[in-house]
Amino acid sequence: MGFGDLKTPAGLQHLNDFLADKSYIEGYVPSQADIAVFEAVSGPPPADLYHALRWYNHIKSYEKQKASLPGVKKALGKYGPAELEDNTGSGGATDSKDDDDIDLFGSDEEEESEEAKRLREERLAQYESKKSKKPAIVAKSSLLLDVKPWDDETDMAKLEECVRSIQADGLVWGSSKLVPVGYGIKKLQIQCVVEDDKVGTDMLEEQITAFGDYVQSMDVAAFNKI
Amino acid sequence: MAAAAEELTLLEKLLGLRRGNKYSAQGERQIPVLQTNNGPSLTGLATIAAHLVKQANKEHLLGSTAEEKAVVQQWLEYRVTRIDGHSNKDEIRNMLKDLNSYLEDKVYLTGNNFTLADILLYYGLHRFIVDLTFQEKEKYLNVSRWFSHIQHYPGIRQHLSSVVFIKNRLYTNTH
């Protein structure tokens, strides 16, 4: 918000562009908003910024009624087009940030008829409630692990038991089978479903190979996203 | 135009007058006629409108200084001669162009105050503005600004459709 420094030509240019299609800074009647900006402008704008000049002369005609105009005077940074940075310093960073967020859904001017504002708030509230009702979809993957023993005399049942003993939040063991590899050695193929955020394959690998007595190595044979 | 009678009824409501005036139309151009209670009949949109304003005790709407009053009269005359009865596209465009340059340095038609001139010009121009494309509205930027301003004045729009003006400039600045 804000027009930049209104004492510079750039600031006045912003004011001019802002006022091209508006009669007042805020709303459709003169208010303290106009007085605030009027006082920040050091004098009548140059003639080539004719919108600003028109506004300036108009507000000047209200000089005597300055105090009785409606509204509350806010810091200068609060007026004007939303996309301009508030560099008057006194605006407060959080305020302009809020305006940016809301402006994604609506117009980027401060003035809005009460009805349009209310409608927008209503729709926003509806969107939020709908969003919160939707169950959070968790990313899951199905892994097929190959666990290889040292030799053909390794007790596969014990090996499987060890692997299944690994518990973690988001890890569910599935079915398993023994697949012969050669020379009488069988490897254990076991399925599991993991939640991507909670369990990683390196963690699994670490824990499985920790059973060094039984497990020679472990591979991820297949990794499918669910 | 039965539209004239309709417009005068709108004006009555805006001014807060109790309805009861009877309007008739005269001639092929349907000029409105008001039959006053104990006086002569009044003919002509501008005349009747000014009479209603005085009836409603809102004489400030006719202007406060002598110059302002003259400007109001000027625009009332403009309304009746240049706008009513003219629907030719070219004429409308010229009119909007003139109006656009006139409004460049004024918030209201008289400059700084809302008057009957703004009211009657609003009613008179409404059917043209409603049909403008957004590009044209942007071309006549000052007219759009003035129109958007007036249509928000409490009590003026009533059942007329609200014309939408886009807040962001869509077309590159030509001025």
Side-chain angles (χ1 to χ4, degrees):
Chain A
M1 308 294 291
F3 298 104
D5 188 352
L6 278 170
K7 307 234 191 295
T8 66
L12 285 175
Q13 179 69 50
H14 282 131
L15 182 64
N16 192 56
D17 290 338
F18 180 78
L19 289 171
D21 61 346
K22 292 171 208 58
S23 300
Y24 302 104
I25 298 289
E26 232 176 41
Y28 292 94
V29 288
S31 63
Q32 292 298 327
D34 298 279
I35 301 296
V37 181
F38 182 84
E39 286 171 354
V41 179
S42 42
D48 61 330
L49 299 178
Y50 46 85
H51 298 293
L53 183 59
R54 161 187 43 83
W55 169 83
Y56 185 90
N57 288 331
H58 184 74
I59 299 301
K60 196 142 190 295
S61 75
Y62 284 95
E63 280 236 75
K64 303 216 178 68
Q65 310 157 21
K66 247 202 288 205
S68 60
L69 291 180
V72 175
K73 244 196 231 179
K74 296 193 265 198
L76 194 57
K78 292 278 163 31
Y79 302 119
E83 61 269 2
L84 272 194
E85 264 189 37
D86 173 8
N87 57 3
T88 55
S90 52
T94 36
D95 276 357
S96 40
K97 194 108 189 292
D98 281 338
D99 281 346
D100 278 343
D101 281 345
I102 296 177
D103 284 337
L104 283 174
F105 295 99
S107 68
D108 62 349
E109 315 286 14
E110 236 195 18
E111 50 164 303
E112 260 191 72
S113 71
E114 280 308 305
E115 210 189 301
K117 210 180 211 164
R118 189 179 48 81
L119 263 171
R120 188 161 54 84
E121 298 290 297
E122 229 176 86
R123 284 206 204 107
L124 266 176
Q126 274 175 11
Y127 173 76
E128 293 294 309
S129 62
K130 231 204 267 176
K131 209 167 150 198
S132 59
K133 283 204 192 103
K134 245 202 265 181
I137 299 176
V138 187
K140 286 196 182 137
S141 316
S142 158
L143 279 81
L144 188 63
L145 300 174
D146 277 350
V147 187
K148 299 182 199 71
W150 288 108
D151 57 26
D152 58 344
E153 290 184 350
T154 315
D155 186 353
M156 293 311 289
K158 202 76 187 16
L159 190 143
E160 187 172 337
E161 211 182 289
C162 289
V163 170
R164 283 187 186 273
S165 73
I166 297 173
Q167 299 292 324
D169 181 23
L171 169 65
V172 177
W173 289 110
S175 62
S176 63
K177 61 180 189 213
L178 293 171
V179 179
V181 185
Y183 303 109
I185 302 177
K186 298 193 191 65
K187 66 178 178 182
L188 175 69
Q189 257 194 359
I190 186 163
Q191 270 215 324
C192 63
V193 175
V194 294
E195 280 175 38
D196 293 342
D197 296 333
K198 296 180 182 162
V199 181
T201 51
D202 27 6
M203 192 273 289
L204 273 176
E205 185 163 349
E206 237 179 78
Q207 293 203 339
I208 290 179
T209 48
F211 297 106
D213 300 337
Y214 298 99
V215 176
Q216 188 236 39
S217 66
M218 181 208 96
D219 282 317
V220 178
F223 191 122
N224 297 312
K225 273 215 133 309
I226 299 180
Chain B
M1 293 180 284
E6 195 188 301
E7 189 177 329
L8 287 169
T9 333
L10 284 175
L11 182 61
E12 274 179 341
K13 259 206 235 146
L14 169 64
L15 292 171
L17 288 170
R18 262 180 306 117
R19 293 208 280 143
N21 284 326
K22 293 204 69 172
Y23 301 104
S24 48
Q26 187 195 76
E28 55 165 55
R29 280 183 48 196
Q30 302 289 295
I31 302 177
V33 181
L34 168 63
Q35 185 60 54
T36 62
N37 288 335
N38 28 7
S41 65
L42 296 177
T43 313
L45 178 67
T47 317
I48 300 179
H51 178 74
L52 290 176
V53 167
K54 291 194 187 129
Q55 255 193 340
N57 279 324
K58 295 206 165 120
E59 288 222 38
H60 60 91
L61 287 178
L62 291 173
S64 3
T65 65
E67 282 95 4
E68 215 181 11
K69 289 189 187 147
V71 174
V72 174
Q73 287 304 312
Q74 170 194 301
W75 285 106
L76 292 185
E77 198 179 308
Y78 187 93
R79 160 74 208 271
V80 176
T81 55
R82 297 279 299 276
I83 301 183
D84 291 354
H86 290 100
S87 320
N88 178 321
K89 263 268 161 176
D90 283 332
E91 283 175 353
I92 298 175
R93 237 178 275 135
N94 279 332
M95 187 182 55
L96 287 174
K97 198 154 66 108
D98 289 338
L99 204 52
N100 197 51
S101 32
Y102 177 81
L103 284 172
E104 191 179 274
D105 63 341
K106 295 174 202 60
V107 175
Y108 296 105
L109 283 173
T110 51
N112 287 325
N113 295 310
F114 179 74
T115 59
L116 186 62
D118 299 285
I119 302 175
L120 286 190
L121 259 268
Y122 167 79
Y123 286 133
L125 287 173
H126 184 273
R127 61 195 167 108
F128 300 125
I129 306 274
V130 139
D131 288 333
L132 288 182
T133 66
F134 280 119
Q135 186 169 27
E136 285 171 321
K137 280 182 221 167
E138 217 175 285
K139 188 158 98 165
Y140 306 119
L141 188 58
N142 298 311
V143 178
S144 300
R145 168 183 44 81
W146 168 82
F147 197 87
S148 165
H149 182 112
I150 300 299
Q151 79 177 352
H152 277 85
Y153 195 84
I156 197 171
R157 185 167 74 81
Q158 296 180 51
H159 70 271
L160 293 174
S161 51
S162 178
V163 183
V164 177
F165 296 97
I166 296 215
K167 295 193 184 209
N168 305 313
R169 226 73 79 70
L170 298 174
Y171 304 96
T172 50
N173 254 334
T174 46
H175 50 80

